[in-house]
Amino acid sequence: MSSRTNRGILDRLKKGVVQGAEGYVFELERRGYIKAGPYVPEVVLDFPEAVKELHREFLRAGSEVMVALTYYAHREKLKDVGRENDLEFMNRQAVRLANEVAREGDALIAGNICNTWAYDPQNAQASSKIVRAMYEEQLGWALEEGIDFVISETNDYLGEALIALEVIKQLKLPAMVTLASVQHDQTRDGYDYIEACKILADHGADIVGLNCDRGPETMLSIIEKIRSVVSCYVAAQPVPYKTNAQYPTFESLRTGSGEQAFPLLLEPFLCNRFEMAEFARIAQAIGINYIGICCGGAPHYVRAMAEALGKTVPASKYSPVMELHPVLGAHVEEKHKEFLADWKS
Ligand SMILES: [Zn+2]
């Protein structure tokens, strides 16, 4: 493994907030390169330039981490779309693409593993073996191609997240392990999200937290509690959708006519860039260390969040003209007050 930068993830976190950006699968689906339904990142092999372009857009907008697009590039999912033979090449290529773009700036490369759909708490021993083998093969290839740390994400089960953590630690890499939060307050194997993060931290995770599923408003209250019980770094990567107390996750949002909005009718619920910038500011204020975005994310959000965190990034050259700020600013100021009042109550 070649070293791309002298500033690893833990060094950067020690000095301040690290900004991430995800949502590659959702964005590349919108751009016509990934099939909604299976959501397998075939684009890595079929249109590698499209993947590099999105990496580059996130890099220009302020993301300090290029996350290799290996989400759902595991054996179970590739079987579903008849591309099991492409498994190794897809995983290696995804890490290579992330590396190529990271070198255009000063970004880190994160290997990426996720929930496998193979873990079964009723049959933990046998299913853990399968999950472990999947993680070992994916991360083995990633390590050979060159990664700085690993993000294990959208974990529905604490049991599965702990397997991921063990595999990452065996490889002696920094581990960021984040939970999905589709259910009200517990993982699918019955651990409160806050307790689950505490257990992951106690088992040696360097960064714990939440990603995906919840928008800013419904993620903040949980993430703040996680912050208060762990001493390790905490990550928050919400989806940019207006989830609320009644519909706390983007999977639960309903259109006016009562249909489930997820995954293809979500546009009316999108946050604006100022709301995501506000999320970044609040997250920083409550001590969150790794701040990013998940499904639905796009470069304009990432740039607005970067600027809210006090950075000027390459894409800032084309940030909105100042004349637009007072108009939008006044409106956003009001929304911000409501937002703050809501989440604090
Ligand atoms: Zn997501």
Side-chain angles (χ1 to χ4, degrees), residues 97-313:
L97 299 176
N99 263 287
E100 282 173 35
V101 180
R103 270 189 234 114
E104 295 173 12
D106 183 31
L108 298 169
I109 294 102
N112 187 228
I113 50 176
C114 61
N115 56 312
T116 63
W117 302 108
Y119 184 73
D120 176 7
Q122 305 303 323
N123 187 13
Q125 216 178 356
S127 65
S128 294
K129 257 191 202 162
I130 297 167
V131 171
R132 180 180 301 273
M134 287 166 72
Y135 289 155
E136 283 175 349
E137 74 178 352
Q138 274 193 287
L139 291 181
W141 295 322
L143 189 59
E144 282 176 20
E145 297 298 332
I147 52 173
D148 297 294
F149 72 109
V150 178
I151 299 177
S152 155
E153 63 183 4
T154 56
N155 285 292
D156 292 308
Y157 296 98
L158 174 65
E160 192 171 38
L162 286 167
I163 299 168
L165 176 59
E166 261 183 51
V167 174
I168 301 166
K169 288 281 126 185
Q170 273 166 19
L171 297 173
K172 305 202 180 333
L173 288 166
M176 169 163 150
V177 185
T178 51
L179 304 173
S181 50
V182 185
Q183 306 209 110
H184 183 62
D185 56 7
Q186 285 190 339
T187 63
R188 290 197 191 278
D189 44 358
Y191 294 86
D192 180 274
Y193 293 131
I194 297 140
E195 182 195 357
C197 282
K198 173 99 172 57
I199 295 170
L200 286 164
D202 291 345
H203 280 75
D206 300 284
I207 310 160
V208 299
L210 302 179
N211 81 292
C212 212
D213 304 304
R214 289 173 189 256
E217 193 171 326
T218 53
M219 183 176 281
L220 273 167
S221 54
I222 304 179
I223 211 78
E224 193 179 23
K225 289 187 192 122
I226 293 171
R227 173 68 288 170
S228 70
V229 301
V230 300
S231 54
C232 67
Y233 297 115
V234 175
Q237 300 205 87
V239 294
Y241 295 102
K242 295 173 200 270
T243 56
N244 55 50
Q246 189 181 3
Y247 303 110
T249 64
F250 73 159
E251 291 92 344
S252 64
L253 288 168
R254 290 289 179 276
T255 65
S257 49
E259 295 158 290
Q260 180 177 331
F262 179 86
L264 299 178
L265 304 174
L266 285 165
E267 282 86 353
F269 301 99
L270 278 168
C271 296
N272 63 46
R273 65 183 75 187
F274 302 99
E275 289 162 332
M276 292 312 293
E278 202 45 55
F279 169 80
R281 250 179 242 121
I282 296 170
Q284 183 181 37
I286 62 178
I288 304 308
N289 312 92
Y290 188 105
I291 299 174
I293 193 165
C294 207
C295 302
H300 67 301
Y301 290 126
V302 179
R303 179 179 61 189
M305 294 167 80
E307 291 173 353
L309 294 170
K311 297 190 289 182
T312 301
V313 298

Side-chain angles (χ1 to χ4, degrees), residues 272-274 277 299-305 307-308 313-329:
N272 63 46
R273 65 183 75 187
F274 302 99
H300 67 301
Y301 290 126
V302 179
R303 179 179 61 189
M305 294 167 80
E307 291 173 353
V313 298
S316 294
K317 182 177 178 193
Y318 305 105
S319 285
V321 292
M322 287 313 286
E323 288 80 352
L324 287 175
H325 284 291
V327 181
L328 294 167

Side-chain angles (χ1 to χ4, degrees), residues 55-73:
H55 277 312
R56 190 173 291 124
E57 289 173 18
F58 281 155
L59 180 72
R60 288 185 69 253
S63 179
E64 294 167 67
V65 178
M66 297 292 100
V67 182
L69 181 46
T70 53
Y71 193 90
Y72 278 171

